[in-house]
Amino acid sequence: MASQGDDGPLVGRTGTLADIQSNLRNVGPGGTAAVFLTGESGVGKSRLLRETADALRGRDFAVLFGTCLDIGDASPLHPVLQALRRHDSAPATTADDAGALLDRVSRDLRAIAGDQRLLLVLDDLQWADRSTRQLLLYLLAGLGDVRVSVLAAIRAEALHGTHPLRRVLAELRRLRSVRVVDLAPLNQEQTRELVGAIVDGEVAGEDAERVYKRSGGNPFVVEELARDLRDGRVELSDTLREIFLARIDELPPNAHAVVNALAAGVEPVEHAVLSRVVRLAEDELLEAIRAAVAYRFVIGDGEGYRLRHRLVAEVLEQEVLPAEATALHRRYAEALEAGPDEADHARLAHHWQRAGLPSRALPSVIAAARSAEGMYGFAEAHRHWTLALRLTGEDADDRTELLRHAAESAHQCGEHVLALARLEELAGRKDAPTECELHLRRARYLAAAGRSETAEQEYELALRSPDCTPQLRGTAAAFLAELLLHLGRYGDANQHARDALELAAINGSTADLVRASAALGFSAAFREDPDAGLAVIRHAVEIAERSGHPEDLGVAYLHLAELLTGPLNSIEEGVLVARRGADRLASRGVGRTYQTRLLAIAGNGLFRIGQWAEADAVLAEAMRHRPSGADAVELLLARSRLWVGFGELDNARRDLDAVATLLAGGGARHVLPMLTLRSGLAMWQKEHAVARAAVQRGLTETRSDDLVLLGVLAWHGLRAEAEAHADGAQVDPGALRRLKTVVTRLEAGANAAAPEVRAVLDGYFFLCAAELSRVEDRQDPEPWARAAAIWDRREQPYPAAYSRLRHAEVALSRRARRTTAVAGLRQAYVTAIAMGARPLANEIKSVAQRFRVALAEDADTVPMAPPEPDPGDELAVLTGREREVLAAVAEGLTNREIGELLFISERTVGVHLGHIFDKLQVRTRVQASRVYLTAA
């Protein structure tokens, strides 16, 4: 399977390559050494042979390279003589006996080596003729008086039965200087790295996982599939198909039957089930399985048998006749039903359906769906309920019940639009649920889809429905309280939460109790008493932990984390709570919903405390869940905030456009952050009118009483006017007047807020006052100094650094307290660089250049004499961070491991590697490592 023409990067083999070279140098008493690489076809043996030969050629080694052919003993010593001919030597090919021939070939090899060691590289040694095998024994035993190291590759699937090379390897293993290395496939992380390198960009997690499952980590297959992915090809390439078909054809007939059966099965396939499907005598079946394992098609463990590459199943699916496939699936279904244990309903449903018997599949499909729900496997349950709907007709008696489950499971796994469609079909049936239940479900699905205003109307309709029972009324009140929190209407949320708790105390569910308690605690903590409110939410978390239901856990952890990272400013504790909640929910089927939102909250918290690289990694992890609706909005807003901070403005604009599309009547806790980010993005791009319009829209449209969100928005509005004024653009008097009014109203409202909330608001009030001084040309550094101090106390470095920048700008322009101003500017610059805040860092550098302040050695401000580079240092072109990354690459670490070591994201590591490759003019990690090790 090897291909030299289009080699991908060498991934996961750096350590193996170093070990091979070390072993080839580590000779035994006879002056010889050998490394035999074994492994399945395509695992990378030939690539390692070439890389090793290239690395050692000219470094005290003379290299000969030959390849064995599958022609038996027809051409004695073929690979060795081929290697000699390639070296332009005239090999001695005739002799009176075998001993004389070996002696003459040894003399030729000695002559080529001269004063160097000889490296004899032999590929496909499993096809070696008898004379070549004898020569290896002769040379490695030291009888040829040649200082030789042998590197050979052997296809492991060929060494079955009584293959003669097995005896040769058994003899050679006794020598201390001989190593046999079994080359394993790539693991999942290495596969992802290789796919990313070939695609030359970010690869979706599910795409990388699919390649890994299909390829089994075989590098050749991974590269072929990655190229298909890069080029947009869906069908399996002819190259791979022909390779696998050729290998399958080599199987003995019974082993072929085993592989065929496993290709149709749901892995792992237990031995008892396989024996009923294949229908061979036990001895014959075991022999067939053993052969399939020896040919590297099948692997087995305590759970059963699996195909080494799922790609084999794809190939065979198109080779097997439809009637054969139907018969196989029927035998599987009958085998599963005949087993002594309870049948695996998911497998049973699969096989009956593939056998063309949907009526026999339906009971198993429904059982599998209920089983998945019991284990919180909502995505699996949704798949089964959807299949059950397809297997039943419109007039079936149980279709209404199936629609109930299908709608709810779609909602639970994040398919909110589909849930609404299923609900509308359900509402149109004669035996539909009650009016109250339909309104309640529709409201829940609308809220999850991000359509908050419509959802509020549906909750109100549910509460007014004449058929609304006390229990449904309590549920509706609890959900409405939670929605009002999202809308930023904490007073209304508080009242509905109290109503819900009264009803839940009589005949409500645990879910209603948790949801109402969380909403009540949040609103109370924000409006009245943080300690009492926190106690209520923590009690809700305790109830949810006892319940164990993912929705209860999600609701409780979500509100606790939001409260801590937001208005109460206990950010580090809030991040810990969010991560703990995400970990608790990781295996409970709500990855696309609650887990995603908790990770978004953690990302926002990390952003606020300046740990942007870690926030980037957390949000990237959350994005792999591919959320939808309100969950996607939360995540996109968090990522947009990070993009704006990093200066990746096109990415930020794209994400904010996506948020705007998803927000059809969204709540204040989504709309106001979106408009704030729109304004911040526009300011960095000098689009003052756009920035102003975003803020004014937020102030006009919102009904929120969330003072913190409004304070942030007001600061951005005043900052937008200040930036316009600084750039010589016109300030909008009407907008400025409205902003002053809003700030005055917020200050009045803040007097009644909880002390912790007031402390956060004070930071924004100082920023507002300071921005106003810029607009009015008062050149007063004091508001900026107070703002920096308060944000330092809040431990939020970004607004603190921004405040120091503006303080220094004003102080330096007034030529007052230059030393303090310069120190503050330098501190702001260090903070911006540490976070990766490029726009802020550039703004700081601009101010420093204007006032001729030297910030640091790597800042382009006042010219500073750089140290002279060492002309002999190949790594002089690299920055310090790039050297650190390259050193880790040379140690064989993956991008993820490097990121963990250096506390940066995988994406950042990839960017550094791209710069390193460009600067060193190399193409692969191996080449870059070679440059580093040589320089070191």
Side-chain angles (χ1 to χ4, degrees), residues 314-330:
E314 296 180 38
V315 171
L316 287 174
E317 187 176 16
Q318 298 194 14
E319 298 297 315
V320 174
L321 293 172
E324 289 180 278
T326 298
L328 267 175
H329 285 293
R330 181 171 189 132

Side-chain angles (χ1 to χ4, degrees), residues 509-576:
S509 65
T510 301
D512 295 341
L513 184 62
V514 169
R515 196 176 301 275
S517 297
L520 178 64
F522 192 104
S523 59
F526 191 96
R527 299 173 67 247
E528 304 158 2
D529 186 342
D531 291 335
L534 269 175
V536 173
I537 294 189
R538 292 190 196 279
H539 181 59
V541 172
E542 292 173 4
I543 297 171
E545 289 284 3
R546 288 196 297 271
S547 157
H549 193 280
E551 191 156 1
D552 297 345
L553 289 166
V555 167
Y557 274 106
L558 189 71
H559 290 306
L560 179 57
E562 277 186 318
L563 185 63
L564 291 169
T565 57
L568 298 191
N569 201 59
S570 298
I571 300 175
E572 291 191 2
E573 183 188 357
V575 170
L576 289 174

Side-chain angles (χ1 to χ4, degrees), residues 388-586:
L389 282 176
R390 286 206 299 266
L391 294 176
T392 57
E394 292 290 333
D395 299 328
D397 294 337
D398 55 354
R399 188 168 180 83
T400 299
E401 184 65 19
L402 293 179
L403 279 168
R404 280 175 180 267
H405 286 288
E408 188 63 20
S409 65
H411 167 66
Q412 291 285 5
C413 72
E415 296 288 349
H416 308 302
V417 175
L418 180 58
L420 285 164
R422 298 275 191 236
L423 186 65
E424 292 314 305
E425 184 181 350
L426 178 64
R429 295 188 65 81
K430 295 178 181 178
D431 51 349
T434 64
E435 181 183 343
C436 178
E437 184 181 343
L438 286 171
H439 283 306
L440 180 54
R441 280 187 177 230
R442 191 175 293 114
R444 289 170 53 225
Y445 301 168
L446 285 166
R451 296 159 64 182
S452 303
E453 290 183 6
T454 316
E456 182 183 3
Q457 296 167 9
E458 288 292 329
Y459 281 130
E460 295 289 358
L461 289 170
L463 288 169
R464 291 199 299 267
S465 295
D467 57 0
C468 193
T469 65
Q471 185 171 358
L472 285 177
R473 192 176 302 279
T475 301
F479 273 103
L480 179 55
E482 184 181 41
L483 178 66
L484 291 168
L485 279 186
H486 174 69
L487 292 170
R489 290 156 52 192
Y490 300 132
D492 294 340
N494 190 285
Q495 184 55 55
H496 281 287
R498 293 182 186 278
D499 294 344
L501 282 174
E502 287 181 14
L503 290 165
I506 302 170
N507 52 10
S509 65
T510 301
D512 295 341
L513 184 62
V514 169
R515 196 176 301 275
S517 297
L520 178 64
F522 192 104
S523 59
F526 191 96
R527 299 173 67 247
E528 304 158 2
D529 186 342
D531 291 335
L534 269 175
V536 173
I537 294 189
R538 292 190 196 279
H539 181 59
V541 172
E542 292 173 4
I543 297 171
E545 289 284 3
R546 288 196 297 271
S547 157
H549 193 280
E551 191 156 1
D552 297 345
L553 289 166
V555 167
Y557 274 106
L558 189 71
H559 290 306
L560 179 57
E562 277 186 318
L563 185 63
L564 291 169
T565 57
L568 298 191
N569 201 59
S570 298
I571 300 175
E572 291 191 2
E573 183 188 357
V575 170
L576 289 174
V577 168
R579 285 180 145 176
R580 184 166 67 244
D583 289 343
R584 294 280 286 113
L585 293 166

